[in-house]
Amino acid sequence: MSIKHNIPKGVLQFFYPHSRKRRDIENKIMDYLDSKDYKEIVTPTFIYEDNVYQDLYEPLKSKLFKFVDRNSGKTIILRPDVTLQVALAVLLADIDLPARFSYAHYIYRDEKQHANLKREFKQIGAEVFGQNSIETDIEIITLAIDVLNLVDIKDLVVRISDSQIIDKLLDVYLSPQFFDKKKAILRLINKKNLSFLKQMPLGEFGSIIDALFLGDINALLKIEPIKQNVGNLIEISNKINKDCEIFLDFFYYEYPTYHSGVSFDIFSNNAVLCTGGRYGNLMQLMGKYIPATGFAINLDKLMDFLYTKEI
Amino acid sequence: MKQLTIALAKGRLMDETIELFKNKGIPIDYDEKSRRLIFESSDKTFRFLIVRAQDVATYVEGNGADLGVAGIDVLIENKKDVFELMDLGIGKCSVVVAGKSPNYPDTPTQLKVATKFVNITDEFFAKKGMAIEIIKLYGSIELAGVIGLADCIVDIVSTGQTLKENGLHIIEKIMDSSAFLISNRVSYYTKNKEITNLLELLK
């Protein structure tokens, strides 16, 4: 018998008992977030492209599923990200701050074939708006760790960074004639390519690259423009009172940028299980600065991880 | 100590890498005649995978290996999301445009360029504002220039001997390349002590 029907690349179907386990895990996490006062928000599956396009994370712009809305003639996209939708909702609804949200939604990204990436996957996330203190950073990172512990994932390694460290240093130390090189410099920092960076005429910034890369805290705490940020990261690390390994990466920069300020990843063994951080800059772009931070967990990757752990 | 898995590019670069590692005191006893694709250092601190040059970054990005040794030309071409931790100073070569004469040939329409470096070629000519058509090949790129399948080629040269023997000239250099020690973005954090030790050793 030849089967003529097939499902598209990059999407999944789940059968019992896997489908049931997946639902249980999702419910367990959502219940926990709810108990911590992160109340569920439900957003539409598709949105107008022009509402979000400008503020969308650059690499996502080429991965949108699009179609035309017959009612308005406008282009509609399947949501490639939930955070942006929640942020928009907060801005439009004039919600009392601080506000906490959780969600569990499918996300759609038109990835190329053979890249081992899914075109549809479920993301569970939590967001806090309206609080700028490092206590909020500690709260959100701790919450993410608790969620992973809740589903029996231990041996966590947490990477925490602050993009302001690199921003401030480049602002202060990079001579104006190299401003046009800034993009290239940020790309090299993103790649941790010290070999190429050291060939560039970076002035004083060049002399502290090693201290940043090696995490030489004593040296970093003496550098005036970033003293506060370094101190904050250390305080965050000390106050996360959890059984996990914390890696403060001072030489970290997302490029293209999404988070701005404190950001983090949580790993176990060989997998990235959670990603999060501050994105107040995005709120600013959308019209009004409101401090914001949050995290997202890819449920399908999490289930894969749990499945592999079991066998 | 956790074991580090390192993907190596089969061929001359792998020989140079093993030589470098041995010189830095890593005990490797590799039998060149063996067909095994995995072997360990005698002290078991490292496990090596033998893969194609083009696949090194794929293994590292996908966490099939913690580290890898790959030419920066291949890394830029394949746009893999890995850390480029250290220039090892081996596998030195250049990516160049070459053709039958040392200048770009006159063409009535678009310049036809044969290469395996599709992205590097695209970006390079786009910056120059030249419209080109790329013919993707997988090997013996020089031949396309000689036979006239393309007006010119973009390929790597180290000594320039192959170009010379095939009667081709360098028209323009695009970039210099050498091999980098690359790292998976998760392993860098979960095996940082081991990786930092290796970086220190290779300095």
Side-chain angles (χ1 to χ4, degrees):
Chain A
M1 186 182 78
S2 76
I3 298 168
K4 283 182 187 146
H5 299 283
N6 207 343
I7 57 170
K9 300 281 184 230
V11 297
L12 296 169
Q13 49 193 5
F14 302 94
F15 295 98
Y16 188 84
H18 196 65
S19 50
R20 185 69 231 176
K21 275 187 194 161
R22 188 170 178 272
R23 176 161 297 283
D24 288 344
I25 293 279
E26 179 185 331
N27 290 346
K28 201 171 176 182
I29 295 174
M30 289 305 285
D31 285 349
Y32 183 76
L33 291 175
D34 181 79
S35 77
K36 292 287 168 184
D37 242 11
Y38 284 76
K39 298 303 180 191
E40 183 172 7
I41 180 170
V42 176
T43 62
T45 310
F46 46 83
I47 42 180
Y48 286 128
E49 181 182 27
D50 60 4
N51 274 11
V52 294
Y53 189 80
Q54 270 210 324
D55 314 315
L56 209 54
Y57 182 46
E58 201 57 41
L60 292 183
K61 289 184 178 174
S62 57
K63 297 178 180 176
L64 301 173
F65 283 101
K66 303 185 186 187
F67 52 99
V68 175
D69 177 16
R70 278 196 299 174
N71 295 320
S72 63
K74 295 214 282 190
T75 307
I76 281 180
I77 58 170
L78 297 184
R79 65 167 163 248
D81 172 73
V82 181
T83 301
L84 207 57
Q85 286 185 306
V86 181
L88 261 179
V90 168
L91 286 174
L92 292 174
D94 209 10
I95 286 165
D96 286 340
L97 300 175
R100 291 176 169 74
F101 297 99
S102 60
Y103 62 82
H105 274 320
Y106 277 104
I107 283 192
Y108 305 89
R109 294 177 185 173
D110 199 359
E111 302 285 356
K112 279 187 189 149
Q113 261 193 62
H114 311 308
N116 195 20
L117 292 167
K118 295 286 170 280
R119 298 204 285 173
E120 175 189 61
F121 59 90
K122 200 165 213 178
Q123 205 175 56
I124 299 179
E127 319 278 356
V128 196
F129 295 89
Q131 284 187 330
N132 217 355
S133 64
I134 67 166
E135 273 65 38
T136 312
D137 295 308
I138 295 164
E139 173 186 322
I140 205 81
I141 299 172
T142 309
L143 184 70
I145 295 170
D146 285 340
V147 163
L148 293 171
N149 285 339
L150 182 76
V151 295
D152 280 329
I153 303 178
K154 305 284 182 323
D155 304 318
L156 300 176
V157 178
V158 186
R159 186 274 306 161
I160 310 176
S161 311
D162 183 351
S163 65
Q164 283 188 8
I165 290 177
I166 299 291
D167 282 334
K168 285 184 179 174
L169 287 173
L170 289 181
D171 277 351
V172 176
Y173 289 140
L174 196 66
S175 9
Q177 73 255 39
F178 297 119
F179 279 172
D180 58 329
K181 297 262 187 296
K182 202 170 164 184
K183 275 187 178 173
I185 293 169
L186 291 177
R187 197 201 78 89
L188 291 173
I189 295 174
N190 175 271
K191 297 277 183 191
K192 295 200 189 295
N193 190 327
L194 272 74
S195 305
F196 280 180
L197 272 171
K198 285 181 177 172
Q199 288 169 19
M200 296 179 94
L202 297 174
E204 259 191 87
F205 181 66
S207 65
I208 47 179
I209 285 179
D210 279 324
L212 290 167
F213 181 74
L214 296 169
D216 183 346
I217 287 171
N218 292 328
L220 295 177
L221 281 172
K222 288 187 192 119
I223 303 170
E224 199 53 44
I226 58 165
K227 226 165 74 178
Q228 181 78 38
N229 300 80
V230 173
N232 283 350
L233 283 184
I234 295 166
E235 193 179 336
I236 291 173
S237 157
N238 289 339
K239 284 191 175 165
I240 294 175
N241 203 3
K242 294 285 164 188
D243 184 19
C244 64
E245 189 185 315
I246 293 178
F247 190 113
L248 296 182
D249 189 352
F250 301 97
F251 194 65
Y252 181 89
Y253 206 86
E254 285 176 12
Y255 189 78
T257 325
Y258 180 80
H259 296 105
S260 138
V262 174
S263 76
F264 62 96
D265 286 312
I266 306 182
F267 316 111
S268 181
N269 290 325
N270 282 337
V272 189
L273 297 175
C274 176
T275 295
R278 293 211 162 261
Y279 55 91
N281 57 315
L282 198 66
M283 305 295 288
Q284 178 92 54
L285 276 177
M286 289 194 289
K288 186 182 171 194
Y289 174 77
I290 295 174
T293 183
F295 68 77
I297 290 171
N298 180 327
L299 179 66
D300 297 328
K301 277 194 185 167
L302 183 72
M303 292 313 296
D304 261 357
F305 183 85
L306 290 172
Y307 180 76
T308 320
K309 210 179 73 158
E310 239 172 63
I311 53 172
Chain B
M1 290 290 273
K2 296 170 191 162
Q3 191 184 51
L4 289 173
T5 301
I6 308 183
L8 300 177
K10 198 175 196 160
R12 203 174 62 203
L13 184 54
M14 178 170 132
D15 301 339
E16 281 183 59
T17 310
I18 290 179
E19 199 55 40
L20 174 74
F21 277 37
K22 275 187 183 167
N23 286 341
K24 299 290 182 181
I26 297 168
I28 302 177
D29 182 21
Y30 171 65
D31 174 12
E32 281 171 32
K33 290 190 195 89
S34 163
R35 294 215 172 181
R36 289 198 54 186
L37 298 173
I38 297 186
F39 62 97
E40 284 180 323
S41 61
S42 330
D43 60 359
K44 310 265 186 244
T45 16
F46 300 100
R47 182 171 66 149
F48 297 94
L49 312 179
I50 306 176
V51 304
R52 271 190 69 127
Q54 302 281 347
D55 295 333
V56 169
T58 307
Y59 272 85
V60 176
E61 186 187 47
N63 221 322
D66 302 307
L67 301 171
V69 177
I72 196 79
D73 52 326
V74 180
L75 293 172
I76 291 175
E77 173 65 24
N78 293 340
K79 300 182 194 291
K80 294 290 181 192
D81 195 18
V82 295
F83 288 138
E84 301 160 356
L85 292 181
M86 185 187 257
D87 186 348
L88 296 176
I90 55 174
K92 287 194 173 172
C93 61
S94 310
V95 180
V96 301
V97 187
K100 279 184 185 163
S101 89
N103 301 307
Y104 284 107
D106 284 331
T107 50
T109 55
Q110 282 179 329
L111 194 70
K112 270 194 277 181
V113 187
T115 186
K116 61 181 168 195
F117 296 102
V118 175
N119 292 321
I120 291 177
T121 304
D122 233 356
E123 274 166 35
F124 177 73
F125 284 101
K127 260 190 204 157
K128 287 174 77 81
M130 285 170 73
I132 58 158
E133 188 188 322
I134 293 176
I135 301 171
K136 162 111 193 187
L137 295 176
Y138 292 87
S140 306
I141 316 290
E142 294 84 2
L143 200 55
V146 178
I147 294 294
L149 178 71
D151 301 312
C152 57
I153 63 164
V154 168
D155 202 12
I156 49 167
V157 293
S158 40
T159 60
Q161 195 57 32
T162 316
L163 283 187
K164 212 171 176 184
E165 282 182 20
N166 288 292
L168 296 178
H169 303 268
I170 293 176
I171 299 175
E172 204 171 354
K173 182 159 93 175
I174 298 181
M175 62 179 286
D176 284 318
S177 176
S178 59
F180 267 70
L181 181 73
I182 59 172
S183 158
N184 173 270
R185 282 185 177 263
V186 179
S187 301
Y188 176 79
Y189 298 104
T190 55
K191 297 185 177 176
N192 189 269
K193 215 169 83 194
E194 291 77 8
I195 292 175
T196 313
N197 285 346
L198 178 64
L199 287 176
E200 197 54 43
L201 196 66
L202 292 175
K203 248 182 198 169

